[in-house]
Amino acid sequence: MLDYEIIEKEEILVIRFYGSIGAENAQKLKKAFQTLPEENHKLVINLGVSFITSEAIGYLIQIYKKYREKKGEVILCNVSGNVRTVLEMIRLNKVITILESEEKALERLS
């Protein structure tokens, strides 16, 4: 089961994910990203999930590219140990900044 919420803090969008991103709900991640306003240039993805699929990782890369094209920034935060290990194995942490907490991510983008 995957749930999410989107909030705005001082022109920074925060999208918080809860649960796990399995094959049956990776599309929910994509739909969540599609609801983000085009004019936004700063995004924090609070990835508080216990599992992530390769399809969902592909959506993270797509949203990163979209923000990069419009000279924006994306930061991942609150990434669990298992998910972080996967992201580091594929070296996504070399492309997308990963911070420990949402507070640190908001501070970096402010």
Side-chain angles (χ1 to χ4, degrees):
M1 176 85 169
L2 177 68
D3 289 316
Y4 70 91
E5 66 179 327
I6 300 171
I7 60 169
E8 188 172 354
K9 292 188 174 189
E10 301 171 21
E11 297 184 21
I12 302 170
L13 277 181
V14 178
I15 185 164
R16 295 176 181 148
F17 291 100
Y18 308 98
S20 64
I21 306 172
E24 68 281 352
N25 56 20
Q27 288 293 320
K28 195 170 187 178
L29 182 87
K30 181 180 180 181
K31 288 179 183 173
F33 289 148
Q34 290 173 338
T35 65
L36 299 175
E38 287 294 322
E39 63 273 4
N40 177 265
H41 284 58
K42 296 179 181 180
L43 177 64
V44 172
I45 302 172
N46 187 326
L47 202 58
V49 298
S50 58
F51 180 79
I52 192 167
T53 63
S54 58
E55 182 180 8
I57 291 169
Y59 296 140
L60 289 175
I61 293 168
Q62 285 177 0
I63 198 71
Y64 169 77
K65 285 181 177 180
K66 180 178 178 180
Y67 271 71
R68 189 179 68 191
E69 287 171 1
K70 61 182 180 178
K71 308 288 190 258
E73 292 184 74
V74 175
I75 295 179
L76 296 176
C77 68
N78 194 28
V79 180
S80 72
N82 293 338
V83 174
R84 187 180 196 107
T85 299
V86 170
L87 298 180
E88 288 173 354
M89 283 174 49
I90 63 168
R91 298 185 175 264
L92 193 59
N93 60 316
K94 303 292 184 191
V95 178
I96 302 176
T97 301
I98 301 175
L99 297 177
E100 293 77 34
S101 69
E102 187 175 307
E103 293 76 25
K104 288 183 180 186
L106 290 168
E107 187 178 298
R108 173 84 62 95
L109 291 176
S110 293

